[in-house]
Amino acid sequence: MRARNENDVLSVHAIAGTHVVLLGLDVKGYESPNPESSTDLSGAMTRLTLDSDSKEIAMAARDELSSIKVKNTSRKIFVGFAIDRRDVSAGNSVSLNFDRKPIQKFHHGDYTVLPGRQYEYTIRRMIQAPRSYSSSSKFVTYGSPVVVTVSTEDPTTGKHGIYFNRGVAGSKAYSKKFGEYRKYHLVNKFGSLQWKPIINPRSISDPEESKRALAWLSRGLEEALIQFISQADGKEYRLLATVYEFTHEETIQAFASAVERGVDVKIVRHCKGSYHPRVKRNDFVKDGNGKVIKDWIPDDPTQSAKETIDKVGFNSLEHAHIWQHDTFIERKHSAGIMHNKFIILVKNGKPMQVWTGSANPTDGGIYGQSNVGHIVRDDGVASQYLEYWERLSQDLPGRKHLDKKGDKGGSEPMDESNEQQQPDLENHITPQSIHVIFSPRKNLDMLQWYADQMKMAAKSVHYTAAFGVAQPIAEVLNQGQSKDISNQEGGLRRSPRIASRCKVTKTSAGSLLRYVLLDNKPSQHSSEKKRCNAEKKGTDYADYYDFRGIEENRVAFGAILPTNGDGDDNANECGESLTGLTTFVDYIHTKYMIVDALTNSPLVITGSANFSAASTDKNDENSLVIQGDTSVADIYFTEFMRLFDHFYSRDKYNEFLAKNATRKPGKGKVWGEVVADESWLRPYFDPSSQLYRERLLLR
């Protein structure tokens, strides 16, 4: 839901998801400030907005900011915003200002709201407290407030039910709540062994505290998944699922309980491995003909799932037999991996609902890295998933291969039947529509279509990438009215094609902003290696080290704040720690893109597919393409901004530490302190700043 309100000086734009309300703030009269007066901007703003609530002055400022003269000479320094929230249902009110300090940003995220509730926000300006002010506070509110009322989305009703987990185990809040259970573990990350502080919720000795930690991290994702499965109660129901990694005991038990309730449960699970020579006493084992005997060894997802599945107990041998012999279908002949994670709810032979998204049913997927579970309560969409599931359950080949004679034989492969069911999308799609894209596909045209949608964005793009950025999308991110990146810092060589493409003449600032959220900061060494290989082949290559310099792009990646033991005297008292439940992707595992999120016709693409070549033409995958649903877009947008702001601030803080590594403790710059002057305002009214564009986007 979205709501706006304004008074003579302030305006607010509230965007509500399920657990987040984002407030876009603005002060009037500064849409096109005079560049010649940029150094005087904050003073002019203070005179306009604090010494007078006059609409005439604000209107005049639009014509010529530098010409405004205010007779009132008493200077009131505009130091930020005060925001109060009232829960309309409960009647209680809270201040969103930490320690009564001003909020010095033009947007603010409220992350403590609950789904399906109505909230009222009151926004005021704050100034330095007069010397005669009796309170000990350095700041006071000033002027008329602006009030906006908004309702959060309820995921239990309507066509879409969207559930994001917390996704920020590495946060101050988690460490403060459960920091006493922190332990140091030897962690192997990308081949490097390091001792890392870990707060594993499964390892908390107090059962109640462990349960509380798991619930805090899940944030409703686990509960929604279990509830979805629990809907099936009786022989008239079927649960038809697909899983890749499958080790979350609570989810597996929920399926087992459904079997005991008489539900027909069928689960297509990833089953891959490779053949290895059998070895005994340091020598290869051979058969009677002298040929080395090879054994099939399952890969980690396959083996881990089997071990967890086999742990389940039943009250009757009948149900145990069904579980062991009539529930799981091994998917061995996918062209890549069977990467789907969806569940279809069927009643009396009719598909009713689908659970899909990015979350693997594992501890890491539910309680660790950021993930989403997305319910679609639509029998038409569910029917499409059922048709796809039936093909997967036959273990059809992902792609058709030629036999030795050059003939194509056997069953129709998945890539052909997937495109027959849903052809590639072309150009613009129908407003207020849902399209389901199943992989593998015969080529990469759909990946290019996703890149084209990003390219056609008018206002904004919000994009998450867990495993890097595919070339079609990287090329789009490399385009824009920006500086010449052919000689950026970092010493990385640029492909001549990429350099020439990105060398553009800088013009006046546009309004487009593209937000990119990566799991981790890419390796410079890996980037250079891939670029060299591409140049040898005569192909283009672009990545983070290219598009990070484009003005339209705001990029963040997963990170945590250091502990005091890392040599930072400004670090939070207890440090930040991960859960230790993830092995490869620690922070961002979602796969979604929002194009023009705040317009009346936003595009949301979400599912299991990583916007990669492999997820398009090799893996078994599914994606929802949702056009024109503002409620869906609002939920994904607010969750994206919650995570982006969280990680972007940590990226910048760690960058700040690196630049000030040689300073003495207690000396020099201090991070995050509220400034008592108006310097915080300048970036928001400087047309060359990304914060200027962000203010215009969110207001």
Side-chain angles (χ1 to χ4, degrees), residues 238-243 246 252 255-260 263-269 309 314 318-330 389 393:
R238 302 182 75 197
L239 288 170
L240 307 177
T242 62
V243 292
F246 191 50
I252 293 174
F255 278 118
S257 297
V259 170
E260 293 186 312
V263 178
D264 180 18
V265 177
K266 294 288 187 293
I267 302 174
V268 177
R269 73 180 185 95
I309 290 167
F314 291 87
E318 177 188 1
H319 292 133
H321 187 274
I322 292 172
W323 179 257
Q324 197 68 33
H325 301 288
D326 196 33
T327 298
F328 295 95
I329 303 168
E330 295 180 343
W389 183 91
S393 69

Side-chain angles (χ1 to χ4, degrees), residues 26-43:
D26 202 9
V27 289
K28 296 184 180 180
Y30 307 100
E31 295 179 7
S32 302
N34 184 349
E36 300 300 325
S37 303
S38 59
T39 56
D40 239 0
L41 179 60
S42 58

Side-chain angles (χ1 to χ4, degrees), residues 51-68:
D51 292 335
S52 173
D53 284 345
S54 168
K55 184 176 293 186
E56 289 75 21
I57 293 182
M59 291 294 291
R62 291 192 180 97
D63 298 327
E64 181 121 4
L65 178 66
S66 59
S67 67
I68 298 297

